Amino acid sequence: MQAQIGVGAKAPKDAEVLFDGSRKMLDEKWTYWEGPRLAASLPIKWKIEKDPVGAGTVMNTNDPAAAGGKYGAADIVTKEAFRDFRLHIEFYISKPGGNSGVYLQNRYEIQVLDGDTTSHGLGAVINETPSPYYAYNGVGKWNAYDIVFRAARFKDGKRVENAQVTMYFNGKKVHKNQPISQVWGGPNSGIDGGNDGGKGITDTPGGLKLQAEGHDVLYRNIWIKPLDLKAANTDFSK
């Protein structure tokens, strides 16, 4: 599997654009995640703003309902759910300490957090890998995650294979066939977060979720291509 990656990567013809910078697409394809801490109401209060360093417009995660870092209060999720997929997403952290998160299947977080180089830090498969902080372009610059994700597999209602992810961060391969064991962060985090301490993964597809943490973290150029990965291999090349 080959694909263009990195900041500015254009969606291939067979991919679905999830955000093109327009308010129209934000409202058409996204909604608030109805988790236990939801405190926001439609329409989505994330603002569409001018790209601070480029042409076009972007979305700002700084929803007033999430002020003070109240994750789960105003997170947004795609109306469409996914199993296996190829994802491209670009983010811009405006100020030091800026915090958000990209949730695969509304379960597994790829962290967006300036200044944290731990396993809870930027670019980490949260709590499961070290942070590949070396690949970060820094505050005030656009960054890109390019991901191939394979959902957990089940037999007779029991999980027999963990979810798995390969990821490029700004064009550098930082995770390769990384298994993901559970949902972290509790029930306010995502699907299955409240099941057996996050270990009770279910065979339910989920949307792409973006986290509101009360920070000026911006997103643009989001596209996805559904896949059907028979083998437990998510590795892909540029």
Side-chain angles (χ1 to χ4, degrees), residues 47-109:
K47 292 181 179 177
I48 301 296
E49 301 178 355
K50 185 180 181 301
D51 189 325
V53 296
T57 49
V58 302
M59 66 166 96
N60 188 335
T61 66
N62 197 353
D63 192 298
K70 195 176 179 185
Y71 68 91
D75 297 353
I76 65 169
V77 64
T78 58
K79 295 175 184 178
E80 185 177 355
F82 304 96
R83 288 189 184 276
D84 306 343
F85 55 82
R86 158 83 165 95
L87 170 70
H88 176 87
I89 186 165
E90 298 180 18
F91 67 89
Y92 176 104
I93 300 176
S94 302
K95 300 165 189 169
N99 193 358
S100 180
V102 174
Y103 284 74
L104 312 178
Q105 269 202 330
N106 193 2
R107 280 187 177 87
Y108 311 109
E109 183 180 6

Side-chain angles (χ1 to χ4, degrees), residues 17-184:
V17 176
L18 293 175
F19 182 65
D20 61 359
S22 71
R23 179 82 227 181
K24 182 173 182 287
M25 188 171 285
L26 179 62
D27 289 331
E28 279 182 357
K29 297 195 175 185
W30 300 78
T31 190
Y32 283 120
W33 174 53
E34 295 183 5
R37 197 188 261 179
L38 177 65
S41 59
L42 294 171
I44 294 169
K45 306 301 187 298
W46 293 29
K47 292 181 179 177
I48 301 296
E49 301 178 355
K50 185 180 181 301
D51 189 325
V53 296
T57 49
V58 302
M59 66 166 96
N60 188 335
T61 66
N62 197 353
D63 192 298
K70 195 176 179 185
Y71 68 91
D75 297 353
I76 65 169
V77 64
T78 58
K79 295 175 184 178
E80 185 177 355
F82 304 96
R83 288 189 184 276
D84 306 343
F85 55 82
R86 158 83 165 95
L87 170 70
H88 176 87
I89 186 165
E90 298 180 18
F91 67 89
Y92 176 104
I93 300 176
S94 302
K95 300 165 189 169
N99 193 358
S100 180
V102 174
Y103 284 74
L104 312 178
Q105 269 202 330
N106 193 2
R107 280 187 177 87
Y108 311 109
E109 183 180 6
I110 307 296
Q111 178 67 284
V112 175
L113 176 56
D114 175 74
D116 192 335
T117 61
T118 72
S119 62
H120 192 269
L122 189 75
V125 180
I126 201 160
N127 296 335
E128 306 223 7
T129 72
S131 164
Y133 208 84
Y134 61 88
Y136 180 37
N137 286 336
V139 171
K141 295 181 180 179
W142 283 101
N143 296 269
Y145 290 159
D146 285 282
I147 290 167
V148 167
F149 171 82
R150 184 177 186 265
R153 295 306 200 254
F154 293 78
K155 185 175 182 179
D156 300 326
K158 293 185 178 181
R159 181 171 50 161
V160 292
E161 293 179 71
N162 283 342
Q164 190 180 82
V165 66
T166 292
M167 185 176 104
Y168 289 80
F169 185 5
N170 292 326
K172 297 180 177 70
K173 188 182 287 186
V174 296
H175 306 307
K176 178 182 175 182
N177 286 331
Q178 172 65 41
I180 315 177
S181 65
Q182 69 169 85
V183 175
W184 300 87

